[in-house]
Amino acid sequence: MNNNDPNLLNKTDNANLLDDLLANPFNEVQELEKAPSSSKEAKPVKLIDVIPEENRAKAYQLAEQIDPTNHQAMISYGTPAQSKLLTFSNSMLEHVQKKDVGEVGSIISDLMKKLNELSPDELKQDKPSFFARVFGKISGSVQEVLSKYQKTGAQIDRIGVKLDRSKNILLSDIVILEKLYETNKEYFQALNVYIAAGEIKLEEIHGKTIPELKKSAELSNDQMKFQEVNDMRQFAERLDKRLHDLKLSREITIQSAPQIRLIQNTNQALVEKIQSSIMTAIPLWKNQVAIALTLIRQRHAVEAQKQVSKTTNDLLLKNSEMLKINTIETAKENERGLVDIETLKNTQANLISTLEETMRIQEEGRHKRRQAEQELASMENELKQKLLEIKG
């Protein structure tokens, strides 16, 4: 047999705990604790027939230890289990108060907020606005989106680390709560043994002890015997009240069981939600972003290739047009003579006109010179005549 088996150790620990709770049923070394009071007397419930077989012998043994003459022992009957239950309740409350489930919820909400802030739709190609076309903000806006995605991705990674840490804490809490549940179960069984033993003793007192004492008192007519009957009745009353208090404590363990399970189920649901976020939501979001980023890079590459092709086509078209024009102009020039006929005709006409005009001007000059010569001769003769006249 493996002594390190966890199930075996748990069974051994539970058995030891139950034995410890029943070892000192009257809590003789502890101080008296005030039991809770009840305004209504509950109907006794026999547990001896419903408790586990191994606990029935313990209940009968415990019933034999109940001494009606020991009033202090009766007051402390069952207090070990009640004291442990009180300590257990305090530890359970402290454990729940330390665990801030709302923090996990806020982390998940923060994750959902980050996932909703960015959508791959932001990377879709839209027609640029007038201002974007004028000021060239298209590439800049894409870079801003990419930067935003990278920043948000880093934030989501940090949130994922927090979620993983919270998941591990919740898983450890589930284990601790399971131990608390088993401990609470042991308190429940111990209280059942105390109550069953008390009911056995109470039934014995009412069915056997009191009738025997009453019969003995009536036969002896001894006043002290009658007092013993009354004392036994008072003890039975106190035992009944004590059993009622123990049943109230037992009710606490009954209510604690579903409460612990509820906390465990809540933690389990949170763990599953965190696991889904870490293993599904975050990778899915990253995959979609990676696909979107790849597509936008492909789109930019296609746009660049289209631009290169367009530029190449435009250049080829312009070169072909220039080649056509140059070829035609060159051919035309090659077919032309050095001087056009029209140019020669105009030149000859201008030359003839110039010669005719020159000849006309020369003729006018000769005519004017002849007139001047005649005028000079006439003036000379006239001068000579005047000179002759002066001498005579």
Side-chain angles (χ1 to χ4, degrees):
M1 182 180 293
N2 186 3
N3 294 330
N4 294 326
D5 187 356
N7 295 327
L8 179 60
L9 292 176
N10 288 335
K11 290 180 181 179
T12 304
D13 292 341
N14 292 339
N16 293 337
L17 176 60
L18 182 59
D19 291 338
D20 290 341
L21 293 174
L22 299 176
N24 188 13
F26 303 102
N27 198 26
E28 295 176 353
V29 298
Q30 298 183 6
E31 294 182 358
L32 177 65
E33 295 185 4
K34 184 178 180 181
S37 59
S38 175
S39 58
K40 183 185 294 186
E41 183 178 357
K43 183 179 180 180
V45 179
K46 287 186 69 173
L47 293 179
I48 192 63
D49 296 329
V50 296
I51 61 177
E53 183 69 26
E54 62 270 15
N55 291 339
R56 292 180 186 176
K58 296 178 180 179
Y60 281 111
Q61 292 175 1
L62 186 58
E64 294 178 358
Q65 298 178 36
I66 299 176
D67 184 5
T69 61
N70 190 342
H71 302 287
Q72 181 68 25
M74 178 46 51
I75 295 175
S76 302
Y77 178 69
T79 54
Q82 286 184 308
S83 299
K84 291 289 185 179
L85 179 61
L86 178 61
T87 303
F88 163 78
S89 300
N90 291 335
S91 62
M92 179 178 170
L93 178 61
E94 182 180 0
H95 176 78
V96 173
Q97 289 175 341
K98 286 182 179 179
K99 304 304 176 184
D100 187 5
V101 178
E103 181 180 357
V104 178
S106 64
I107 295 176
I108 295 177
S109 298
D110 192 20
L111 173 62
M112 294 299 103
K113 181 180 178 182
K114 293 298 180 184
L115 294 180
N116 292 328
E117 280 181 357
L118 296 178
S119 171
D121 292 338
E122 292 181 320
L123 298 175
K124 287 184 178 179
Q125 184 176 12
D126 298 325
K127 293 183 178 180
S129 64
F130 171 76
F131 294 102
R133 293 195 300 269
V134 172
F135 297 103
K137 292 294 185 181
I138 302 176
S139 61
S141 62
V142 172
Q143 292 301 323
E144 290 174 359
V145 173
L146 294 177
S147 177
K148 188 177 181 182
Y149 266 78
Q150 292 174 353
K151 181 179 179 181
T152 304
Q155 293 174 345
I156 289 177
D157 287 337
R158 289 194 292 271
I159 293 175
V161 173
K162 291 183 180 178
L163 285 176
D164 190 62
R165 188 183 303 116
S166 299
K167 183 192 74 172
N168 293 332
I169 293 175
L170 289 173
L171 288 174
S172 65
D173 288 347
I174 292 175
V175 175
I176 294 174
L177 288 169
E178 185 63 29
K179 293 180 180 178
L180 291 177
Y181 181 86
E182 293 299 326
T183 302
N184 181 73
K185 185 177 179 180
E186 289 300 315
Y187 294 150
F188 171 76
Q189 293 176 353
L191 287 170
N192 279 344
V193 173
Y194 278 115
I195 295 170
E199 289 177 346
I200 293 172
K201 191 66 176 181
L202 193 62
E203 182 179 3
E204 178 185 344
I205 291 173
H206 284 295
K208 180 180 179 181
T209 306
I210 291 179
E212 289 179 354
L213 290 175
K214 184 177 180 181
K215 182 177 180 181
S216 175
E218 289 175 349
L219 291 175
S220 64
N221 200 23
D222 186 352
Q223 184 63 33
M224 291 297 101
K225 295 290 185 181
F226 286 102
Q227 184 61 43
E228 290 178 2
V229 174
N230 184 66
D231 290 343
M232 189 58 65
R233 287 174 177 172
Q234 292 298 321
F235 175 81
E237 182 68 20
R238 290 194 302 273
L239 178 58
D240 185 67
K241 290 181 179 179
R242 187 68 189 132
L243 292 178
H244 177 70
D245 292 341
L246 294 175
K247 289 175 183 178
L248 292 178
S249 298
R250 175 177 172 271
E251 184 64 24
I252 294 176
T253 63
I254 294 175
Q255 293 181 4
S256 296
Q259 291 172 352
I260 295 174
R261 287 300 189 219
L262 180 61
I263 298 173
Q264 282 182 303
N265 291 336
T266 301
N267 286 1
Q268 186 65 36
L270 287 173
V271 168
E272 293 171 358
K273 180 66 176 178
I274 292 173
Q275 188 73 8
S276 176
S277 299
I278 295 175
M279 304 304 296
T280 304
I282 294 179
L284 178 61
W285 184 87
K286 287 186 176 181
N287 288 341
Q288 293 302 313
V289 171
I291 292 172
L293 295 179
T294 302
L295 291 178
I296 194 174
R297 290 190 178 97
Q298 290 180 353
R299 189 186 74 204
H300 288 168
V302 171
E303 290 294 331
Q305 184 61 40
K306 287 173 61 178
Q307 189 65 31
V308 171
S309 299
K310 183 177 181 301
T311 302
T312 303
N313 291 332
D314 291 344
L315 181 61
L316 291 174
L317 182 60
K318 289 180 180 179
N319 289 340
S320 65
E321 291 177 352
M322 291 178 63
L323 179 61
K324 176 183 177 182
I325 294 172
N326 292 342
T327 302
I328 293 174
E329 292 296 328
T330 302
K332 287 181 178 180
E333 290 300 321
N334 289 334
E335 295 299 326
R336 288 177 58 187
L338 185 61
V339 179
D340 292 339
I341 299 298
E342 293 296 329
T343 302
L344 293 176
K345 287 181 178 180
N346 291 332
T347 303
Q348 182 174 341
N350 290 336
L351 179 59
I352 293 172
S353 176
T354 300
L355 293 174
E356 289 176 349
E357 185 70 19
T358 301
M359 292 173 62
R360 186 186 61 80
I361 293 172
Q362 289 177 350
E363 184 64 29
E364 289 180 355
R366 285 194 298 272
H367 178 69
K368 288 182 180 180
R369 285 195 300 273
R370 299 296 177 269
Q371 287 181 348
E373 289 176 355
Q374 291 176 4
E375 290 291 333
L376 288 174
S378 177
M379 289 174 61
E380 183 179 353
N381 291 331
E382 186 179 359
L383 179 60
K384 289 178 177 180
Q385 189 63 37
K386 288 296 179 181
L387 290 173
L388 292 175
E389 290 177 359
I390 294 174
K391 290 179 178 182

